[in-house]
Amino acid sequence: MYRRTFLANITSPIVAACATCLTACSKKVTETAVVSTPPVVPPPIVPPPVLFPFTIDLQTNLLTVGSQLVKNDVIIVRLDAGATTTSFTAVERICTHAGGLLAWNISQNAFVCPVHGSIFSANGLVLNGPASKALKKYTITINGTTLTINQ
């Protein structure tokens, strides 16, 4: 037997097996590529529109100093025991830095953002960053026991 014939007889089945494997592998890659899905990106958070004016009944809400109430993405806080407009404050609830939801911290007498630690005064001014823009402050009027928040 000649060397050429010998090599042809031995390598033909190996080449056929390799070709079958390559074909099978390429089908799996194609099937995997078809099955894969793009990553799911959550939709951006869009706050609901703020509806003005709105009222709060002071006989049932904000009864104690430091109590807070959130309505229409406005956070309202009772600052002292009086029943005048200066006894309350109302600011936007969403931090101007990264959109965190603010809460009143009675011990700091300030609004605090839990996301990056920005701190705002009762009037909405930045006391500690990273926020650099003040909060929107809303106008308050009181008629009897009804507190009204205006734009």
Side-chain angles (χ1 to χ4, degrees):
M1 181 182 296
Y2 293 106
R3 186 189 312 176
R4 180 175 274 173
T5 306
F6 175 75
L7 290 175
N9 288 342
I10 288 181
T11 57
S12 292
I14 294 173
V15 170
C18 288
T20 304
C21 287
L22 289 174
T23 303
C25 289
S26 66
K27 285 182 183 176
K28 286 182 183 175
V29 170
T30 304
E31 289 171 8
T32 302
V34 172
V35 173
S36 67
T37 58
V40 176
V41 178
I45 297 172
V46 178
V50 178
L51 306 172
F52 291 99
F54 62 87
T55 61
I56 296 167
D57 181 5
L58 293 177
Q59 290 180 321
T60 56
N61 295 291
L62 302 170
L63 300 175
T64 59
V65 174
S67 59
Q68 59 185 310
L69 175 75
V70 175
K71 188 171 181 179
N72 293 342
D73 274 335
V74 175
I75 185 166
I76 305 103
V77 177
R78 179 178 275 256
L79 300 174
D80 65 46
T84 65
T85 57
T86 58
S87 300
F88 301 89
T89 188
V91 298
E92 66 182 310
R93 183 183 187 204
I94 299 171
C95 180
T96 58
H97 173 249
L101 298 178
L102 301 172
W104 179 253
N105 183 310
I106 194 167
S107 65
Q108 290 181 288
N109 203 35
F111 295 101
V112 178
C113 179
V115 178
H116 296 113
S118 292
I119 301 174
F120 301 87
S121 73
N123 290 322
L125 301 175
V126 177
L127 299 176
N128 186 41
S132 59
K133 181 181 172 192
L135 300 171
K136 178 170 177 50
K137 186 167 180 357
Y138 297 97
T139 305
I140 296 173
T141 57
I142 297 177
N143 185 6
T145 59
T146 302
L147 182 140
T148 303
I149 306 295
N150 298 292
Q151 219 168 0

